[in-house]
Amino acid sequence: MAEAVFHPPRRKRRVFETYDAPFPVGVGGKDFRMCRAEIINNNVIVRNPEDIEQLYNKGYFGKGANKNMPIITSKKYQRRVQWAKSILQEQGFDDGSVTRILENYTKPLELPLLKEDGTEPTGNSCNRMGPNTELSRQSSTDTGNVGALSAENENAGCKQARLEGDPACAPVAICGSKEQQQRDSKERAEASCQEHGFLVCCGCEAKKSVEQQSCETIESKECAPEYVLVEEEDEGSLHPEGDSAHEQENLVKKEKLVCRRNPFSISEYLQLSLEEAFFLVYALGCLSIYYGEEPLTILKLWEVFSEVKPNFKTTYMAYHYFRSKGWVPKVGLKYGTDLLLYRKGPPFYHASYSVLAELVDDSFEGSLRRPLSWKSLSGLNRTTANASKELMLCYLIRPSDMTEKEMSTPECMKRIKVQELIVSRWVSSRERSEQDEF
């Protein structure tokens, strides 16, 4: 058997995030935070925004959508407008009222950004920014619209956004005046209500004073509207690539980013895989998983997850092993494997290995979950190689004297041994060329 050759991970070209920590727990219990998750339809869901930020930014646990000023296409934005229109029509509003409400709520908002010297640049269009740029607040002296662009950064004031490696492209948003806040609160009172729907003209906020509405809009994260950057075509940017009549037909379309309110808010949550959730509970102790109002114990989770996913014990042992080695394992379903191994995290590097996990005995025998023929193994290896990854077989060796009772608790991992095997494709032409060199 040949010795495996280590290939360094391929770093991604564009990285917009900074690496915080490998795990959401500090050394010596510093800055420890107990997060909460729920089991919903056999899935582990995290809803608290602070817990989501803690688990994803420190270790890249789970998968979810980023809610900080997303950039969407004009087609997707119009689709959300249609969804909001359908909801308003179901609530009994006529077409004229629905059109007026949506036009007022989704009108473009200007982004007057500060230059480095503190002056405000001219121009009415939204400048292009990176996908991870965060804006805390914005105001417009022309339209009088103001709002909190990032709900998590409202109380922090005007915060300078940044991109890793390029702090010069980070704009600073301006906080609005009190009159602008009052005017915007009045518009939201006519267009939105949290108790009766996202866009409803119920007038329930009219009972409150204008100052109270403005204060609640700034302090409450739930009442603040959600903002998005919409990719729209710049009408004045169409110009031919050449001077000839034939080249004038090929017009270059430029796009600009326009800030608008999101008429149909999609709630954000973080979905953890069963392996990630159990690792956070069992290995790190920084997560509590609830079913209803009752938190589940480690033994109960081991039992429940094994019923939901019959091969959970095998995949978790492999996950626990590679996480302890410093890798960031993710679900490898799209490549036909159990796990994908990333260095540091998916935002920084491409996956290096696709892992198949199998639980065997001392003689490397047992009821394999996925019996591979030479044809299926060759096809899987070819698929993995085409994605610039390597196929790894992870054998979890179980002692022959281990009983099923011992396997009913996670303490059985103390007696499990791990054997890794990297499968590489042998190319005859490459072998002959190497022999000719000698």
Side-chain angles (χ1 to χ4, degrees):
M1 183 178 296
E3 184 179 355
V5 179
F6 176 76
H7 299 282
R10 293 187 305 115
R11 185 174 178 85
K12 293 186 176 180
R13 294 182 179 179
R14 296 182 179 180
V15 179
F16 299 100
E17 299 185 23
T18 56
Y19 185 74
D20 293 338
F23 297 115
V25 291
V27 179
K30 183 180 179 181
D31 299 331
F32 179 81
R33 175 184 178 86
M34 178 62 71
C35 302
R36 171 170 177 160
E38 304 172 69
I39 296 182
I40 302 177
N41 296 330
N42 296 333
N43 297 310
V44 182
I45 304 298
V46 181
R47 297 182 181 273
N48 191 329
E50 296 180 355
D51 294 343
I52 293 175
E53 182 179 0
Q54 177 81 359
L55 296 178
Y56 185 78
N57 292 345
K58 296 182 179 181
Y60 296 95
F61 292 89
K63 184 177 180 61
N66 188 9
K67 201 174 181 181
N68 292 330
M69 203 63 172
I71 299 177
I72 62 176
T73 61
S74 178
K75 184 177 180 180
K76 290 184 178 180
Y77 185 78
Q78 292 302 324
R79 190 182 305 157
R80 297 189 181 188
V81 173
Q82 292 298 324
W83 291 342
K85 182 178 180 180
S86 301
I87 293 177
L88 290 176
Q89 290 175 346
E90 291 176 358
Q91 294 173 353
F93 291 93
D94 57 87
D95 293 341
S97 300
V98 171
T99 303
R100 184 172 61 255
I101 292 174
L102 291 177
E103 288 181 353
N104 182 53
Y105 195 84
T106 61
K107 59 187 177 181
L109 306 175
E110 296 182 358
L111 290 178
L113 305 177
L114 289 180
K115 296 181 180 179
E116 295 181 358
D117 56 358
T119 60
E120 182 177 332
T122 59
N124 296 327
S125 62
C126 176
N127 295 329
R128 179 86 188 190
M129 292 168 290
N132 285 45
T133 305
E134 296 180 1
L135 300 178
S136 57
R137 292 184 61 98
Q138 64 86 29
S139 66
S140 173
T141 56
D142 298 331
T143 60
N145 296 319
V146 63
L149 294 183
S150 178
E152 297 182 0
N153 296 334
E154 285 179 359
N155 298 330
C158 299
K159 178 181 178 182
Q160 182 178 6
R162 61 181 171 84
L163 291 176
E164 181 184 5
D166 191 9
C169 64
V172 179
I174 306 175
C175 296
S177 62
K178 184 177 180 180
E179 296 179 358
Q180 293 168 333
Q181 297 170 3
Q182 295 174 358
R183 196 177 311 165
D184 191 63
S185 300
K186 185 178 179 180
E187 294 178 358
R188 280 196 300 273
E190 297 176 355
S192 63
C193 174
Q194 296 293 330
E195 296 179 358
H196 303 88
F198 192 71
L199 290 176
V200 181
C201 289
C202 61
C204 62
E205 292 190 12
K207 302 177 183 179
K208 304 176 183 179
S209 63
V210 178
E211 291 79 10
Q212 186 178 0
Q213 294 175 13
S214 302
C215 180
E216 291 180 358
T217 302
I218 296 175
E219 294 179 356
S220 176
K221 296 182 179 180
E222 297 181 356
C223 295
E226 179 183 338
Y227 287 77
V228 293
L229 293 176
V230 184
E231 292 181 345
E232 299 181 359
E233 293 184 3
D234 194 351
E235 297 178 356
S237 64
L238 297 179
H239 58 84
E241 294 181 347
D243 298 332
S244 63
H246 177 70
E247 293 179 346
Q248 289 181 358
E249 298 179 358
N250 300 325
L251 298 179
V252 179
K253 296 182 180 180
K254 292 186 178 180
E255 294 182 347
K256 64 178 180 179
L257 293 181
V258 181
C259 180
R260 297 179 186 270
R261 294 189 187 97
N262 185 11
F264 192 89
S265 179
I266 301 176
S267 60
E268 181 188 19
Y269 63 88
L270 186 72
Q271 181 174 350
L272 299 173
S273 66
L274 300 183
E275 292 80 11
E276 291 174 327
F278 194 82
F279 184 84
L280 291 170
V281 175
Y282 173 71
L284 300 182
C286 62
L287 180 69
S288 295
I289 300 179
Y290 286 74
Y291 183 74
E293 298 296 329
E294 179 184 359
L296 301 180
T297 62
I298 293 178
L299 293 179
K300 188 64 176 179
L301 287 173
W302 183 263
E303 178 184 352
V304 171
F305 288 172
S306 299
E307 293 179 358
V308 173
K309 186 177 180 181
N311 60 335
F312 167 75
K313 296 177 182 178
T314 302
T315 55
Y316 177 74
M317 291 178 188
Y319 181 93
H320 188 104
Y321 173 77
F322 289 113
R323 261 289 184 182
S324 303
K325 294 291 184 179
W327 293 97
V328 179
K330 289 292 182 180
V331 177
L333 182 61
K334 60 183 177 181
Y335 293 108
T337 57
D338 296 318
L339 298 173
L340 293 176
L341 301 185
Y342 293 86
R343 185 194 175 199
K344 295 177 69 173
F348 307 101
Y349 291 89
H350 295 280
S352 300
Y353 300 98
S354 296
V355 181
L356 285 177
E358 290 289 355
L359 183 63
V360 297
D361 56 15
D362 294 336
S363 303
F364 282 84
E365 296 179 355
S367 57
L368 299 180
R369 298 185 303 108
R370 187 181 301 166
L372 293 174
S373 63
W374 286 111
K375 184 183 294 185
S376 59
L377 180 60
S378 177
L380 183 59
N381 190 28
R382 178 69 68 93
T383 302
T384 304
N386 290 341
S388 300
K389 298 172 179 51
E390 293 185 272
L391 180 61
M392 178 185 295
L393 303 181
C394 178
Y395 290 103
L396 304 164
I397 305 173
R398 167 185 172 179
S400 57
D401 59 344
M402 180 176 288
T403 62
E404 290 297 329
K405 185 177 181 180
E406 293 182 76
M407 291 289 294
S408 62
T409 66
E411 296 298 317
C412 65
M413 290 188 293
K414 296 180 179 180
R415 301 184 60 191
I416 298 294
K417 297 181 181 180
V418 181
Q419 177 68 52
E420 305 165 13
L421 179 64
I422 296 179
V423 180
S424 59
R425 178 167 168 259
W426 179 74
V427 183
S428 59
S429 59
R430 186 184 306 168
E431 181 75 13
R432 285 195 296 267
S433 61
E434 292 179 356
Q435 289 181 356
D436 294 341
E437 293 179 358
F438 291 108

